[in-house]
Amino acid sequence: MLKLSNRMMAIANLVEPCDVIVDVGTDHGFLPIYLVKNQICSKAIAVDVNQGPLMRAQEHIEQEELTNRITTRLSNGFMAIEPGEAQAAIIAGMGGLLMESILTNGETVTAKMSQLVLQPQSDFLSFRRFLYRAHYDILEENMIYEDGKYYTIFKVSPNSNCSESDFEQLLPEEKRYGCYFFANSNAVFKQYLKHEQKVNDQVKQRLLLAMDCAKIEIRKKEVEEKLSTIQSALKRM
């Protein structure tokens, strides 16, 4: 029986019912299979830039007897998707900068969608700024801990009135961590902040023992600023 990891289940739980969903970078195809089998989405399009993952996904789709409801396509992001063909999308398990590129290149497709669930692996500050700049409204967030890593998951909608100027008006902790977790309790997020505080404290102590130079001073300032932001975030929890 198909069993999703905690990370993938958290992604699936943010998807609202829809007719057709696109899973970008589908890999093994488990997410679209789960969403269709559980009648969250009527149909799905599983896309990947590489043929190998698509072949694995196709095998799993055939095993679940869902070939009439889930199709696979070789595609770089949304390039093989027509505007209006799907109402929702999932992009997960890749760097934030790559995700920004996929969303930018596919903006004519995503503009016709009502929801996207996004799980970037890195570059979170830049990615949050991008969401504002590209006029995405952050509807909900979740953070989970799995296999020694913390994962942040966004549910967003396109065509909002937010802009990069709105992002610049946020407090430092809101720019880095968003606003959602400060208004909605999340135990994993608080655990993550304490972990980040400990890690950066350790970095600070090592820097204090290092020989002074321009690069070290710049790094010290960066760590001090991050620790200050973390402390401000913890005070709001």
Side-chain angles (χ1 to χ4, degrees):
M1 179 179 289
L2 174 67
K3 181 175 175 59
L4 296 182
S5 67
N6 290 337
R7 178 179 67 91
M8 289 196 293
M9 182 59 74
I11 293 169
N13 286 340
L14 286 182
V15 176
E16 295 181 8
C18 66
D19 185 20
V20 182
I21 192 166
V22 179
D23 182 26
V24 177
T26 196
D27 196 13
H28 36 49
F30 287 169
L31 267 172
I33 289 171
Y34 175 87
L35 293 169
V36 170
K37 284 191 70 173
N38 287 275
Q39 301 180 19
I40 298 169
C41 305
S42 300
K43 297 180 180 180
I45 305 170
V47 308
D48 206 285
V49 72
N50 295 309
Q51 190 66 54
L54 278 186
M55 292 175 65
R56 290 195 299 270
Q58 186 64 40
E59 290 176 2
H60 295 142
I61 292 164
E62 291 173 359
Q63 289 170 5
E64 298 292 337
E65 299 181 347
L66 291 172
T67 54
N68 61 329
R69 297 175 65 188
I70 305 176
T71 58
T72 58
R73 295 183 193 175
L74 188 67
S75 177
N76 185 356
F78 292 103
M79 294 299 101
I81 307 297
E82 294 295 326
E85 190 175 6
Q87 299 77 47
I90 294 171
I91 313 177
M94 61 186 72
L97 295 180
L98 175 57
M99 197 172 291
E100 288 180 30
S101 176
I102 289 172
L103 290 168
T104 299
N105 293 331
E107 61 184 358
T108 58
V109 176
T110 60
K112 300 291 185 181
M113 295 180 173
S114 60
Q115 57 170 318
L116 294 91
V117 178
L118 311 170
Q119 187 262 300
Q121 300 278 66
S122 61
D123 308 297
F124 299 106
L125 181 60
S126 171
F127 189 71
R128 285 187 186 278
R129 186 189 300 273
F130 164 79
L131 290 176
Y132 277 78
R133 184 172 67 247
H135 310 296
Y136 282 97
D137 188 16
I138 301 175
L139 304 175
E140 190 174 345
E141 293 188 47
N142 192 13
M143 179 177 282
I144 67 159
Y145 180 77
E146 182 178 63
D147 296 334
K149 295 182 180 180
Y150 292 91
Y151 298 96
T152 301
I153 308 162
F154 301 80
K155 179 165 73 176
V156 305
S157 65
N159 309 313
S160 79
N161 293 322
C162 65
S163 65
E164 189 166 8
S165 62
D166 295 317
F167 180 84
E168 294 302 336
Q169 293 176 28
L170 298 175
L171 296 171
E173 66 269 22
E174 293 169 341
K175 289 180 181 179
R176 184 169 292 277
Y177 305 116
C179 300
Y180 188 85
F181 292 133
F182 297 124
N184 300 271
S185 178
N186 184 295
V188 177
F189 175 61
K190 188 172 184 178
Q191 175 185 316
Y192 168 74
L193 289 175
K194 291 181 177 179
H195 168 76
E196 287 292 285
Q197 185 179 49
K198 181 179 179 180
V199 169
N200 282 276
D201 272 331
Q202 291 172 345
V203 172
K204 179 182 176 180
Q205 293 305 313
R206 288 198 296 270
L207 289 172
L208 290 174
L209 298 174
M211 293 181 62
D212 288 339
C213 67
K215 288 184 178 180
I216 292 295
E217 290 304 314
I218 291 172
R219 182 65 178 134
K220 283 180 182 178
K221 185 177 180 181
E222 290 174 349
V223 173
E224 287 287 358
E225 289 177 352
K226 191 167 185 180
L227 281 167
S228 176
T229 301
I230 294 169
Q231 189 59 38
S232 295
L234 284 167
K235 288 178 179 179
R236 294 179 60 176
M237 298 302 294

